[in-house]
Amino acid sequence: MDAAMGLQRRQTIDGHAHYLRCGEGDTALLLVNAFGLSLDIWHDLVALLSRRFTVLVVDEDTPPGERGGVPRTTYASLDSLQRFERAVRAIMASERRASCHVASWCSGAKFAIELARNWPEGIASLMLFAPSFAGAEGGVGADSAYETNLNTMCKLVARMPQSADSMARSMAAVMARNAATDGVETLAWVQEPFASAANMLEYSRQLQNFRAHQLGPNPGGEPLSLPVLLVTGEHDQTTSSERAAAICKDLAQPVHFDLQGAGHYFIHQDSELVVQLMQEFVAHGEDATATDPRLVRIHAAAALVSGEL
Amino acid sequence: MPAAPAFDQFISLVTQIVAIQVDPATLTRDTTLAGELALDSISLISLMALTEERFGVGFAEHADSVANLRTVGDAVDLIQHLAAAAV
């Protein structure tokens, strides 16, 4: 699938990391995907982005030719974040670039934010799409019902690995039944973590690592100084937009748009609109505006007044 | 008549999994899993994993039966069928 997107796998000059690359734009854009999922959800977005950007993706997956299973770029091990940051620096050196913009989806947000904190001179801006902070301790909001249920399932898989095969088979049957009886086709990339016992075990382990990763306050307590774009989906039932907004506001001064009528997968379902907004944000930063009426700007002050009422 | 022990044990597992507040005393064989208990697909397979552990049955070869469970009674019947077959 990566090749179908036009992404080519390369090795960094120092030989210590691999990455995917496409496009020849002057501006570099690093994508940070949700843990444990393939890049398929980015397919249409990458096709559009590669016309303007050089698109880069850290790739810690299995060696070429051995694709399959659950991707391991983030949260596969306790040192994944350090490996990721080293890989990004090596990629930028290989690409002979001083900085890049960073866009994340769902659970990729925490790695994106950590990268911006730890390498501020290398990151030009952050774009966080439907970020998930499941497992975050304290603060506003709570895990969504989906995040709670997924955590329960993954804890069960960890406690009863012998049941993973049965669970994987049952999930496949449930999804097939839903498709047959309700016409509800589950997106292929959402099914990947449940496709086999091995996938369920690996995905469950990554989920526990993800949830254990607490961001904490910024070093020095100061907000991030780089431009930050936050886009939430109005009808996102997968994660908590309220908590995402609160956490992002604690860490930065984000430009926040809520995409009306959108769910969790809007980077796929509304890819053209998202790319327009990304181009606007990269060009104008915090002064970015959106002309499409579906993109509603959420102002922090307005949210406060609304909350007080 | 449902076998009360199996029914009661299954209900105790249901209350561990469901995301909504439920009074176990109100649950019957006709209580729907997806509707009244709001079990999504992830919660359903979590419930069945707990059921495998509690009852010593295996659903791996009966995934279609799991997918077609509609009510609490359906689940209890499947558990009892598999438990009897395992004896």
Side-chain angles (χ1 to χ4, degrees), chain B residues 12-80:
Chain B
S12 75
L13 301 180
V14 168
T15 58
Q16 293 177 39
I17 291 294
V18 293
I20 58 175
Q21 290 289 327
V22 294
D23 178 357
T26 65
L27 302 183
T28 71
R29 280 182 56 87
D30 294 330
T31 302
T32 55
L33 300 173
E36 292 165 269
L37 294 177
L39 285 175
D40 61 12
S41 54
I42 287 173
S43 298
L44 176 62
I45 66 168
S46 296
L47 175 60
M48 301 321 285
L50 280 178
T51 302
E52 283 188 334
E53 181 184 50
R54 175 69 64 88
F55 291 90
V57 297
F59 295 111
E61 303 302 324
H62 304 276
D64 289 338
S65 298
V66 171
N68 288 316
L69 294 176
R70 200 180 67 81
T71 66
V72 167
D74 293 343
V76 173
D77 289 346
L78 178 61
I79 293 164
Q80 291 182 315

Side-chain angles (χ1 to χ4, degrees), chain A residues 145-146 148-150 152-154 156 159-160 162-163 165-171 173-175 177-178 194 200, chain B residues 16-17 19 38 40-50 52-53 58-61 63-64 66-69:
Chain A
Y146 176 84
T148 300
N149 294 341
L150 189 65
T152 299
M153 187 201 76
C154 289
L156 284 172
R159 183 164 70 81
M160 302 184 295
Q162 71 279 8
S163 290
D165 178 53
S166 173
M167 296 169 82
R169 293 185 191 210
S170 294
M171 180 62 88
V174 168
M175 290 179 175
R177 191 274 319 270
N178 289 346
F194 316 110
M200 289 199 78
Chain B
Q16 293 177 39
I17 291 294
D40 61 12
S41 54
I42 287 173
S43 298
L44 176 62
I45 66 168
S46 296
L47 175 60
M48 301 321 285
L50 280 178
E52 283 188 334
E53 181 184 50
F59 295 111
E61 303 302 324
D64 289 338
V66 171
N68 288 316
L69 294 176

Side-chain angles (χ1 to χ4, degrees), chain A residues 147-279:
Chain A
E147 288 166 338
T148 300
N149 294 341
L150 189 65
N151 185 38
T152 299
M153 187 201 76
C154 289
K155 286 197 290 190
L156 284 172
V157 171
R159 183 164 70 81
M160 302 184 295
Q162 71 279 8
S163 290
D165 178 53
S166 173
M167 296 169 82
R169 293 185 191 210
S170 294
M171 180 62 88
V174 168
M175 290 179 175
R177 191 274 319 270
N178 289 346
T181 61
D182 304 330
V184 179
E185 289 284 359
T186 305
L187 299 170
W189 55 79
V190 179
Q191 299 184 44
E192 290 164 359
F194 316 110
S196 68
N199 281 17
M200 289 199 78
L201 288 165
E202 176 60 24
Y203 185 78
S204 297
R205 202 164 57 80
Q206 291 188 22
L207 180 93
Q208 299 311 312
N209 289 340
F210 163 71
R211 292 180 64 92
H213 177 195
Q214 300 291 323
L215 277 175
N218 290 331
E222 294 296 318
L224 295 174
S225 58
L226 79 172
V228 177
L229 172 68
L230 167 66
V231 184
T232 51
E234 180 191 18
H235 301 305
D236 190 340
Q237 300 290 311
T238 300
T239 191
S240 168
S241 296
E242 178 192 22
R243 177 156 69 183
I247 288 175
C248 290
K249 185 171 170 289
D250 282 346
L251 300 176
Q253 296 174 315
V255 177
H256 181 187
F257 288 98
D258 194 52
L259 183 54
Q260 302 301 288
H264 190 59
Y265 304 102
F266 60 79
I267 66 168
H268 165 69
Q269 290 158 334
D270 295 287
S271 54
E272 290 189 14
L273 187 58
V274 171
V275 168
Q276 289 171 15
L277 182 61
M278 292 174 79
Q279 291 176 343

Side-chain angles (χ1 to χ4, degrees), chain A residues 7-276:
Chain A
L7 289 165
Q8 295 182 333
R9 196 169 200 262
R10 293 191 179 187
Q11 189 171 33
T12 54
I13 290 173
D14 64 7
H16 291 148
H18 290 87
Y19 64 107
L20 304 173
R21 181 191 196 284
C22 73
E24 296 296 337
D26 293 336
T27 304
L29 174 66
L30 178 77
L31 305 183
V32 188
N33 195 20
F35 74 86
L37 295 180
S38 74
L39 291 170
D40 291 8
I41 190 171
W42 295 89
H43 180 278
D44 294 352
L45 208 65
V46 166
L48 295 166
L49 288 168
S50 61
R51 299 172 188 169
R52 287 281 304 272
F53 298 93
T54 295
V55 179
L56 305 165
V57 187
V58 178
D59 184 14
E60 291 279 334
D61 268 352
T62 51
E66 297 181 26
R67 295 274 171 176
V70 174
R72 302 172 58 86
T73 297
T74 55
Y75 297 112
S77 61
L78 295 178
D79 68 345
S80 287
L81 177 60
Q82 290 72 29
R83 293 166 57 94
F84 178 83
E85 291 182 0
R86 281 198 302 269
V88 172
R89 290 172 189 257
I91 291 166
M92 297 298 286
S94 297
E95 292 285 324
R96 302 182 187 281
R97 293 176 185 273
S99 68
C100 66
H101 298 265
V102 176
S104 73
W105 175 66
C106 189
S107 54
K110 286 195 278 193
F111 268 44
I113 290 168
E114 295 277 24
L115 185 65
R117 282 172 163 178
N118 296 333
W119 195 29
E121 67 276 19
I123 307 304
S125 77
L126 274 183
M127 291 168 268
L128 309 174
F129 300 118
S132 169
F133 297 97
E137 296 170 353
V140 173
D143 289 354
S144 68
Y146 176 84
E147 288 166 338
T148 300
N149 294 341
L150 189 65
N151 185 38
T152 299
M153 187 201 76
C154 289
K155 286 197 290 190
L156 284 172
V157 171
R159 183 164 70 81
M160 302 184 295
Q162 71 279 8
S163 290
D165 178 53
S166 173
M167 296 169 82
R169 293 185 191 210
S170 294
M171 180 62 88
V174 168
M175 290 179 175
R177 191 274 319 270
N178 289 346
T181 61
D182 304 330
V184 179
E185 289 284 359
T186 305
L187 299 170
W189 55 79
V190 179
Q191 299 184 44
E192 290 164 359
F194 316 110
S196 68
N199 281 17
M200 289 199 78
L201 288 165
E202 176 60 24
Y203 185 78
S204 297
R205 202 164 57 80
Q206 291 188 22
L207 180 93
Q208 299 311 312
N209 289 340
F210 163 71
R211 292 180 64 92
H213 177 195
Q214 300 291 323
L215 277 175
N218 290 331
E222 294 296 318
L224 295 174
S225 58
L226 79 172
V228 177
L229 172 68
L230 167 66
V231 184
T232 51
E234 180 191 18
H235 301 305
D236 190 340
Q237 300 290 311
T238 300
T239 191
S240 168
S241 296
E242 178 192 22
R243 177 156 69 183
I247 288 175
C248 290
K249 185 171 170 289
D250 282 346
L251 300 176
Q253 296 174 315
V255 177
H256 181 187
F257 288 98
D258 194 52
L259 183 54
Q260 302 301 288
H264 190 59
Y265 304 102
F266 60 79
I267 66 168
H268 165 69
Q269 290 158 334
D270 295 287
S271 54
E272 290 189 14
L273 187 58
V274 171
V275 168
Q276 289 171 15

